[in-house]
């Protein structure tokens, strides 16, 4: 029997919801590329309820306990005396969401001799030291595609809200004001701008598709080029490097995973190559952008706006400069955790667990690390190494 340790974000401050604003969710058959939705044998939750917080338990307790496994759920994940650290010692499976990541560093992996499987309930397994997982023969899996479209919608929202200066204008209303000039001095139309994505994977391509009707110039860079029909259909300009692309873009959106090749990619030099007054939207991972370089570029006017929902570490310390820098449109890490997305990644997590316990293969597209090497989606999109360094700073949020 296995011990499953699940790290989830805190419940709402007013307690677990008793009702929701809507009665149902749209029923989707497939993801846009034809990949099937998660296929567990059953689910023990109502689609549309809050699953990603401690009381939501990803809807897993009944399933796990019926099979004789134990489930420990906690939000206390940072610092040496955290519940996560204590419970990890004899856990076989760790489940964590990128929104409230349980950083599985080399040190923690060394203290978890029974650990065999790390599941990301979501997409993006950079909170696991993938190098240490490979060396320790730990399988790492995520629920590929579960929230890619959720994020692409968030990206569009953030591009429009930055370019059109939505947030300060909203604040003007809430504060009882009506100074149109204050609102529009930084407000533009997106139409005609050049918009580029770093990576055209599931999210990046969905962003490009959603931007097409806005009559913008569309650009992308990626390690693998899209099929020529897709490039023609969307009238895309391909750039062989990020450097090439950012020079010509008014808006840049980052949609690649965090791994050693992309860590600190948007440093002072890269931001310096962007057009003056460009907008940068990062919903991929905080560490892809240099924290201080972004804040300085907003101050100097090199960037006209920065938005995203990803930080490093998470939760971000109260004095993280991105909370207070000018012209930002940051949210906490929420884009991939809509109620719609939670339904899919909770079901996908259960699918992975069922495969694991029944000795069936986990879908190749869900795998990041298996058999001591990058596998499946991980082999395509990541590079070997570790991106968790510095994550211990997350303990400062509560402290
Ligand atoms: P995909 O695997 O479909 O796409 C990732 C793309 O990034 C691939 O096309 C890959 O290229 C490309 N890529 C990898 N390294 C580089 C590089 N060095 N330069 C250029 N391109 C690169 O994943 P998704 O689109 O679904 O998700 C992407 C990332 O978004 C996740 O890894 C995660 O970090 C983040 N995310 C954030 C969420 C949120 O809530 N904010 C939720 C979901 C994801 P190729 O495979 O061609 O080598």
């Amino acid at each position: 029997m296995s011990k499953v340790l699940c790290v989830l974000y805190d419940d709402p401050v007013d307690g677990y919801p008793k009702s929701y604003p809507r009665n149902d969710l749209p029923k989707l058959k497939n993801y846009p590329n034809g990949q099937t939705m998660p296929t567990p044998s059953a689910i023990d939750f109502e689609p549309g309820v809050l699953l990603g917080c401690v009381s939501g338990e990803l809807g897993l307790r009944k399933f796990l306990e019926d099979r004789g496994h134990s489930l420990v759920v906690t939000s206390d994940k940072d610092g040496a005396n955290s519940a996560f650290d204590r419970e990890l010692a004899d856990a076989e499976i760790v489940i964590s969401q990128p929104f409230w990541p349980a950083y599985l560093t080399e040190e923690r992996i060394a203290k978890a001799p029974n650990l065999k499987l790390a599941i990301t309930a979501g997409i993006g397994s950079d909170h696991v030291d993938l190098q240490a997982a490979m060396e320790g023969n730990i399988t790492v899996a995520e629920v590929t595609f579960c929230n890619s479209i959720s994020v692409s919608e968030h990206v569009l929202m953030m591009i429009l809200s930055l370019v059109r200066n939505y947030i300060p204008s909203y604040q003007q209303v809430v504060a009882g004001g009506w100074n149109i000039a204050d609102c529009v001095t930084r407000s533009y139309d997106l139409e005609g701008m050049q918009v580029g994505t770093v990576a055209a994977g599931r999210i990046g391509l969905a962003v490009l598709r959603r931007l097409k009707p806005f009559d913008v110039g569309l650009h992308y860079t990626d390690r693998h080029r899209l099929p020529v029909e897709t490039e023609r259909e969307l009238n895309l300009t391909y750039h062989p490097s990020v450097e090439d692309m950012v020079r010509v873009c008014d808006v840049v959106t980052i949609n690649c995973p965090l791994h050693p090749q992309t860590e600190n990619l948007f440093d002072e030099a890269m931001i310096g190559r962007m057009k003056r007054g460009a907008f940068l939207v990062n919903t991929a991972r905080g560490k892809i952008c240099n924290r201080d370089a972004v804040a300085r570029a907003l101050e100097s006017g090199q960037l006209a706006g920065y938005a995203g929902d990803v930080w490093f570490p998470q939760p971000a310390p109260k004095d993280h400069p991105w909370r207070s820098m000018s012209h930002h449109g940051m949210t906490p890490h929420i884009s991939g955790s809509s109620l719609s997305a939670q339904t899919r990644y909770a079901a996908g997590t259960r699918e992975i667990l069922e495969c694991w316990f029944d000795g069936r293969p986990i879908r190749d597209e869900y795998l990041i690390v298996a058999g001591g090497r990058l596998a499946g989606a991980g082999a395509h999109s990541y590079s070997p190494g570790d991106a968790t360094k510095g994550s211990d700073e997350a303990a400062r949020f509560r402290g």
Side-chain angles (χ1 to χ4, degrees):
M1 293 303 104
S2 306
K3 172 173 170 181
V4 181
L5 174 56
C6 189
V7 175
L8 300 175
Y9 46 75
D10 287 317
D11 282 4
V13 284
D14 294 333
Y16 192 74
K18 295 188 177 60
S19 68
Y20 294 86
R22 294 181 52 80
N23 297 336
D24 59 6
L25 296 178
K27 290 190 177 46
L28 307 176
K29 283 205 181 109
N30 289 98
Y31 294 110
N33 69 352
Q35 182 188 316
T36 54
M37 295 283 155
T39 50
S41 60
I43 52 169
D44 299 319
F45 58 82
E46 276 299 313
V49 302
L50 184 58
L51 297 163
C53 67
V54 170
S55 295
E57 299 184 323
L58 292 177
L60 293 173
R61 184 168 296 281
K62 182 174 181 315
F63 155 69
L64 288 170
E65 291 183 349
D66 282 356
R67 287 187 174 219
H69 305 297
S70 67
L71 174 66
V72 175
V73 181
T74 182
S75 65
D76 179 20
K77 70 180 184 75
D78 297 307
N81 292 319
S82 62
F84 177 56
D85 258 24
R86 291 195 303 274
E87 298 287 349
L88 188 59
D90 58 349
E92 179 184 320
I93 299 171
V94 166
I95 304 171
S96 159
Q97 301 165 112
F99 323 105
W100 187 257
Y103 292 106
L104 263 177
T105 56
E106 186 180 15
E107 298 73 33
R108 279 179 162 157
I109 287 175
K111 287 189 212 149
N114 297 347
L115 183 62
K116 296 194 180 65
L117 174 65
I119 303 177
T120 303
I123 302 174
S125 297
D126 49 275
H127 58 281
V128 179
D129 179 338
L130 296 179
Q131 191 63 41
M134 286 188 267
E135 285 159 17
N137 205 16
I138 295 163
T139 298
V140 181
E142 58 186 48
V143 189
T144 299
F145 230 140
C146 64
N147 55 15
S148 303
I149 301 304
S150 324
V151 177
S152 71
E153 292 183 0
H154 207 82
V155 172
L156 245 76
M157 174 181 83
M158 292 192 142
I159 291 176
L160 286 168
S161 56
L162 284 184
V163 172
R164 302 201 58 82
N165 206 33
Y166 168 62
I167 296 170
S169 308
Y170 169 80
Q171 286 164 341
Q172 176 87 212
V173 169
V174 173
W178 195 266
N179 194 306
I180 308 289
D182 271 343
C183 299
V184 300
T185 304
R186 301 186 69 86
S187 176
Y188 296 88
D189 292 349
L190 183 61
E191 184 183 29
M193 286 191 174
Q194 304 302 309
V195 186
T197 173
V198 178
R202 292 168 182 86
I203 298 174
L205 181 58
V207 168
L208 292 167
R209 288 197 185 287
R210 279 156 182 73
L211 280 169
K212 176 97 186 350
F214 284 87
D215 290 329
V216 291
L218 291 175
H219 303 254
Y220 82 102
T221 182
D222 198 297
R223 298 189 303 194
H224 299 87
R225 209 160 160 170
L226 289 167
V228 70
E229 312 84 70
T230 311
E231 287 192 354
R232 272 202 211 111
E233 178 201 338
L234 299 174
N235 197 18
L236 302 179
T237 304
Y238 172 74
H239 298 263
S241 71
V242 183
E243 288 82 350
D244 276 358
M245 189 185 80
V246 299
R247 276 194 187 95
V248 299
C249 288
D250 303 289
V251 181
V252 172
T253 152
I254 305 176
N255 298 297
C256 56
L258 169 64
H259 56 97
Q261 283 178 5
T262 61
E263 185 168 343
N264 209 34
L265 181 63
F266 280 76
D267 56 6
E268 190 138 19
M270 184 68 80
I271 294 172
R273 288 187 189 100
M274 298 176 75
K275 287 175 72 171
R276 193 192 82 84
F279 300 93
L280 184 56
V281 171
N282 176 16
T283 51
R285 283 298 179 259
K287 242 188 177 183
I288 297 172
C289 292
N290 182 285
R291 185 198 295 207
D292 298 322
V294 166
R296 277 197 300 271
L298 288 167
E299 198 58 41
S300 72
Q302 174 60 15
L303 287 177
Y306 181 92
D309 67 330
V310 287
W311 308 66
F312 188 81
Q314 290 185 181
K318 300 220 161 54
D319 60 355
H320 192 296
W322 292 2
R323 289 183 185 269
S324 56
M325 63 192 181
S326 45
H327 312 305
H328 82 80
M330 296 298 296
T331 62
H333 193 166
I334 60 163
S335 66
S337 196
S338 58
L339 294 174
S340 325
Q342 289 176 44
T343 294
R344 291 187 290 272
Y345 66 68
T349 300
R350 174 151 170 183
E351 177 190 331
I352 292 169
L353 288 168
E354 287 182 2
C355 291
W356 182 260
F357 293 134
D358 297 346
R360 286 181 285 122
I362 296 168
R363 291 189 203 199
D364 200 48
E365 68 248 33
Y366 286 175
L367 291 176
I368 302 300
V369 170
R373 59 169 74 99
L374 292 173
H380 205 269
S381 293
Y382 284 77
S383 59
D386 167 35
T388 65
K389 295 264 175 319
S391 55
D392 46 348
E393 197 194 347
R396 287 213 292 119
F397 175 74
R398 292 214 211 256

